[in-house]
Amino acid sequence: MWNTYYSLTLLSLFSGVTFGSSKCINLVIPVTVSAESLTLAFPPFQNGYQAEAFTEEVIKRDSSSSPVSGTKNITETFSISAQYCVPDTRAKSKTIQILTHGLGFDKSYWDFTLVAGNYSYVQAALEAGYSTFAYDRLGTGASTKADPYNIVQAPIELAILAELTQMLRSGKVDGCETHEKYVHVGHSFGSVLTNSLVAVAPQLSDGIILTGYSNNFTFQTPFVSTTGHLASENQPARFSGLSSGYITWADKYYNQFSFLYYPYFDPAVLEAAEETKWPFTIGELITSGVVEFSAGQYKGPVLYLASQDDYIFCGGDCTGIIDGPYSDSMALFPAVSDFEVYIQPNVGHALNLHYNATGAYAVANNFFKKNGL
């Protein structure tokens, strides 16, 4: 499905955050990938009216036109921003967790420190003895803002995740130690990529946790219906230079609708999440379901860590969708050493931004530990 090649030169490396005796460094890594891009069958939007009309078209019940006209093999180099953290050596595990965020966020989703509280998964992982590698997906944070129509797509981002993992395993990322085990944690679209990673390259991961995710995509229409807003118009001070293919939702109330479960979050968290949100792309919306999900050759442990009130992947109640008759998740992983499902109560899709997030953090890190990771 994809082939990758790497560059060994870091564009920048500088000291970052310190968690007690744990240390983090910030990196910008050139990553070269070759992958298949889907060619979209329509021209770039000229205005917000066209963007809104497009979202209406793709969710209408009798829509029959395909938004894709073909495929094209591309080879490009992207700058990927990342943060690498190591714990206190006295409690250090030999495993590193590679963290992939979802739509609407950058890597700060894993270390949300804008509001006081226990919203940092990175901190919880470090305290459990794990090193972490969180990165900004293509088009977000400090990573390259590529063509949002034909480049920032799931197949390209999958190739980036695979190449970053291979570079870490091979000791090709300056400033990062090599580890004995490499595990992956995804959120939402990041879980799409993590699931697909072990489907196409099962040798790259020793264990995965999929959060904010199910393999049922039928509940996403309400979310898609909120996303027809050009990022350049929605937050011009931050995104005026972005192409029309970078889109977002309108305001904090749409943010709450899709990501948070009232009253189980601090309103200050919602305000901060809205102020710092990142747009996503038309290419991502169209291609999120085209990557491979069936991981018949993968043998590592798998945990689906769901949010009870996830509207995007469960229609507002993950009971029965993740673990019941409507779930086909286990069938996608027939050879794994351990398959588990856990539903965290009183949280919405953006699990990490709720009061009850720490309970889920403990479930995640304990899952890796019980599987010898």
Side-chain angles (χ1 to χ4, degrees):
M1 178 177 175
W2 45 261
N3 296 300
T4 56
Y5 309 88
Y6 57 78
S7 170
L8 304 184
T9 305
L10 285 177
L11 296 180
S12 67
L13 170 63
F14 53 91
S15 296
V17 182
T18 299
F19 292 112
S21 56
S22 302
K23 295 182 179 179
C24 299
I25 56 173
N26 296 316
L27 308 163
V28 179
I29 309 164
V31 179
T32 302
V33 299
S34 292
E36 186 176 80
S37 163
L38 276 67
T39 304
L40 302 192
F42 54 91
F45 304 140
Q46 298 301 308
N47 51 55
Y49 304 111
Q50 291 181 352
E52 182 63 33
F54 175 81
T55 60
E56 292 173 3
E57 177 63 28
V58 297
I59 65 175
K60 67 192 301 186
R61 64 183 176 88
D62 58 350
S63 179
S64 59
S65 59
S66 172
V68 176
S69 63
T71 61
K72 180 181 179 180
N73 291 323
I74 65 102
T75 299
E76 289 201 25
T77 299
F78 306 106
S79 295
I80 301 299
S81 173
Q83 184 181 76
Y84 172 67
C85 298
V86 294
D88 186 320
T89 55
R90 292 173 297 176
K92 188 174 180 181
S93 166
K94 297 178 180 179
T95 298
I96 183 171
Q97 298 188 25
I98 300 169
L99 312 176
T100 306
H101 64 86
L103 301 184
F105 297 93
D106 64 0
K107 65 179 178 293
S108 67
Y109 173 79
W110 302 106
D111 184 31
F112 195 86
T113 57
L114 296 173
V115 177
N118 298 314
Y119 303 112
S120 175
Y121 180 82
V122 168
Q123 176 64 26
L126 291 170
E127 290 176 353
Y130 292 102
S131 297
T132 62
F133 181 90
Y135 69 100
D136 291 330
R137 287 186 299 95
L138 188 64
T140 70
S143 291
T144 299
K145 308 303 183 295
D147 173 7
Y149 293 97
N150 296 306
I151 297 297
V152 187
Q153 298 181 352
I156 309 298
E157 295 186 66
L158 171 60
I160 291 171
L161 174 57
E163 180 59 13
L164 282 171
T165 303
Q166 186 60 60
M167 292 174 71
L168 287 166
R169 281 181 166 272
S170 303
K172 306 287 188 187
V173 179
D174 291 349
C176 295
E177 305 171 20
T178 55
H179 299 262
E180 289 187 8
K181 300 291 183 181
Y182 295 78
V183 299
H184 293 78
V185 185
H187 172 251
S188 193
F189 185 76
S191 289
V192 169
L193 300 177
T194 299
N195 182 164
S196 190
L197 176 71
V198 298
V200 301
Q203 75 282 1
L204 289 182
S205 187
D206 296 297
I208 65 171
I209 296 177
L210 307 172
T211 74
Y213 179 65
S214 77
N215 295 102
N216 190 329
F217 285 65
T218 61
F219 302 108
Q220 296 186 10
T221 296
F223 170 68
V224 174
S225 72
T226 71
T227 62
H229 300 266
L230 302 187
S232 60
E233 295 178 352
N234 184 260
Q235 288 194 6
R238 297 177 65 206
F239 304 130
S240 61
L242 290 184
S243 158
S244 61
Y246 282 93
I247 57 175
T248 187
W249 53 84
D251 56 34
K252 66 181 181 180
Y253 297 109
Y254 285 100
N255 193 330
Q256 176 186 333
F257 171 77
S258 294
F259 293 94
L260 298 173
Y261 183 27
Y262 185 81
Y264 302 103
F265 63 89
D266 185 341
V269 168
L270 173 58
E271 296 284 349
E274 179 64 17
E275 289 174 6
T276 61
K277 68 182 179 182
W278 279 91
F280 38 96
T281 73
I282 291 295
E284 288 171 323
L285 285 184
I286 291 174
T287 64
S288 62
V290 305
V291 293
E292 182 61 55
F293 295 106
S294 181
Q297 302 302 310
Y298 184 62
K299 298 181 179 179
V302 175
L303 170 63
Y304 278 73
L305 205 173
S307 300
Q308 177 189 1
D309 196 71
D310 189 325
Y311 264 91
I312 295 178
F313 276 98
C314 297
D317 184 359
C318 278
T319 302
I321 301 300
I322 294 291
D323 59 349
Y326 300 105
S327 173
D328 60 0
S329 300
M330 190 171 185
L332 299 176
F333 299 95
V336 297
S337 58
D338 184 20
F339 182 92
E340 295 186 21
V341 171
Y342 179 82
I343 300 175
Q344 181 69 10
N346 299 331
V347 293
H349 181 69
L351 188 156
N352 291 14
L353 304 190
H354 291 77
Y355 293 128
N356 201 24
T358 52
Y361 299 165
V363 170
N365 289 303
N366 288 338
F367 175 77
F368 283 140
K369 287 187 181 299
K370 74 184 278 290
N371 280 284
L373 298 169

